[in-house]
Amino acid sequence: MKATILTLIISLTSLSIMAQSDDERQWDSFVDYLSENGARISVSRMNDVKRIATRYNIVFENKDILRKGEVLNDNNRVPRLVDSIRVFLDGKARNSIESYRYENHSDMTDTITYSLALKGYGKNNEYLLDLGKAYNENFLWSGDYEMLEQTHLATYPSRHQLQEIKMLLSLKESNRKMWFRTMKTCLFDYVNGNGNLLILSTEENTAKSPYHNFHMESFDSLLAKETKTAKAYPVKYKYDNPKDSASKHLPVNIIKNIKNDTDNTTYYHSLVFNRDDIGASESTGMLYIISKENAKECYRTLLEKAKDYVSNHPEECCEIEMSNRHFSFSGLRSTTKYRINHIALSDYVLAEMGKDGTLYILRLNVTGDYWIPKNWKQIKSAINGRVTLIKK
């Protein structure tokens, strides 16, 4: 009898593990399907001391996803790809912690929205956070607050974390809900021919290591090999903004600044590190320009190395953001020093394919925040607004 019960337990456990892995494969296949049918996909992956996270940002317009011969009219208001998304999310909603769906079609205007909380943390598996509680210092979680705090305290504010906050703020004036910092959450909007799908996955980082510093020597060795025949230019960027203050570090204020196009005017702003003297930054490094004859193979090799590095080093504070034509790869070199004086020392790589097929690679050593000139592919130095261009 005991053997029968043990066999049953093992079988149920195996089925549970298979179901979990199968679920992830379904999401991966879903994302691949959207990409193959015209959607544009950007992915970011992040490791820090407490968590490992992945974000998919998927966007499309009707003109990109309509199939050959497909016509939208009164009888067929949305493209078949959008119908596929609805079917997939409806299937996931059945097993979610909580879900929300709204759909309206009138006067040739179409709105479809979904919010799904698919997995949670803690005994209750539910962490619903609304705007009134998000940054109220007097608010405390009931029951499992300590587990949530331990799991989600990050060494630094990452792109993934900012994306969560941005999503939360986008729901401020609506009836929709956002499950903030759940293990897996999904948000979908289709409004008048434009679609946006965000998938956020977070898991506990179980790597046991006394240090979480970023060591990219192996990547640098590969970079040196791949850029032997490239044009190389030493670069320096420095930015000290006396108008910046520590209050700008507050998450809501960071997002407000992003919405005000702070990072789309003069500077390319990748990450906020510096807590006390927000805005101060000094970066030195090299800009490599690789001709189109060697660009694609070099880009593929470096991207695969960066992706593998993040996957194989969960004990290090690092992240990668990538799309079909650019990626950035970065991390903290000294978490100990960062904790002592809040001045980050970090490594940063930005690679981008130009429209003419040329590959541009920026490799920087950074002190403070990442403040990079918007037109970095043509700039040798940018010192507090004084710009020197590269002489080719």
Side-chain angles (χ1 to χ4, degrees), residues 115-372:
S115 300
L116 277 71
L118 297 152
K119 294 179 183 177
Y121 280 108
K123 291 180 294 185
N124 300 322
N125 264 3
E126 52 185 5
Y127 290 106
L128 176 62
L129 192 61
D130 61 40
L131 275 173
K133 298 175 181 177
Y135 303 106
N136 183 347
E137 293 180 359
N138 296 321
F139 170 74
L140 293 177
W141 287 101
S142 60
D144 297 324
Y145 169 71
E146 289 185 2
M147 181 175 289
L148 178 81
E149 187 177 45
Q150 291 170 8
T151 306
H152 285 90
L153 278 181
T155 303
Y156 54 86
S158 69
R159 267 190 291 266
H160 190 99
Q161 186 181 18
L162 296 184
Q163 184 69 42
E164 289 179 319
I165 301 166
K166 199 170 184 178
M167 290 165 65
L168 187 67
L169 291 177
S170 71
L171 306 178
K172 185 176 182 180
E173 305 300 331
S174 71
N175 293 323
R176 296 174 69 186
K177 296 176 180 179
M178 171 60 197
W179 292 271
F180 190 65
R181 293 179 175 174
T182 57
M183 287 180 70
K184 196 176 192 76
T185 188
C186 175
L187 207 66
F188 175 58
D189 292 271
Y190 176 78
V191 181
N192 299 334
N194 295 297
N196 182 249
L197 176 66
L198 289 166
I199 304 167
L200 293 164
S201 299
T202 310
E203 60 183 279
E204 182 180 1
N205 190 346
T206 57
K208 304 299 181 184
S209 172
Y211 302 103
H212 299 275
N213 303 328
F214 182 46
H215 303 287
M216 63 179 304
E217 290 85 355
S218 61
F219 185 89
D220 276 336
S221 297
L222 178 63
L223 180 62
K225 179 181 177 181
E226 293 293 324
T227 56
K228 282 184 178 179
T229 60
K231 295 180 180 178
Y233 304 91
V235 296
K236 181 176 182 178
Y237 312 134
K238 187 175 182 181
Y239 179 72
D240 300 302
N241 188 350
K243 295 180 181 179
D244 285 339
S245 63
S247 66
K248 290 184 69 176
H249 175 72
L250 296 175
V252 173
N253 290 333
I254 292 171
I255 297 302
K256 286 179 179 177
N257 291 331
I258 291 174
K259 286 186 174 181
N260 290 332
D261 290 330
T262 301
D263 60 334
N264 289 326
T265 52
T266 306
Y267 292 93
Y268 173 89
H269 188 209
S270 170
L271 221 67
V272 178
F273 272 156
N274 195 335
R275 295 174 185 265
D276 295 331
D277 188 19
I278 199 89
S281 170
E282 184 166 351
S283 304
T284 57
M286 297 293 293
L287 170 64
Y288 301 98
I289 301 178
I290 298 177
S291 63
K292 59 184 179 181
E293 289 78 16
N294 305 313
K296 287 185 179 180
E297 182 63 23
C298 177
Y299 181 83
R300 184 194 63 79
T301 301
L302 294 174
L303 176 58
E304 289 304 314
K305 176 69 173 181
K307 288 163 60 178
D308 289 343
Y309 196 97
V310 175
S311 298
N312 297 329
H313 294 81
E315 77 284 358
E316 297 186 15
C317 289
C318 56
E319 69 176 44
I320 180 172
E321 184 179 41
M322 51 193 162
S323 68
N324 61 346
R325 59 184 297 268
H326 94 277
F327 75 85
S328 61
F329 179 43
S330 56
L332 283 174
R333 290 202 311 273
S334 175
T335 52
T336 301
K337 187 168 184 177
Y338 176 70
R339 290 192 184 99
I340 292 173
N341 60 16
H342 295 293
I343 303 296
L345 303 178
S346 54
D347 286 320
Y348 184 76
V349 176
L350 175 61
E352 185 170 309
M353 295 287 292
K355 292 182 179 179
D356 64 350
T358 302
L359 175 60
Y360 299 86
I361 303 170
L362 188 62
R363 170 67 175 96
L364 296 177
N365 296 316
V366 183
T367 301
D369 290 343
Y370 290 160
W371 286 100
I372 299 167

Side-chain angles (χ1 to χ4, degrees), residues 80-106:
R80 275 175 267 178
L81 187 70
V82 175
D83 277 332
S84 299
I85 294 173
R86 288 193 295 188
V87 170
F88 182 84
L89 295 183
D90 284 339
K92 294 301 179 185
R94 296 190 187 102
N95 298 309
S96 63
I97 299 169
E98 194 167 348
S99 63
Y100 169 89
R101 172 180 171 172
Y102 171 80
E103 189 161 344
N104 180 58
H105 305 277
S106 61

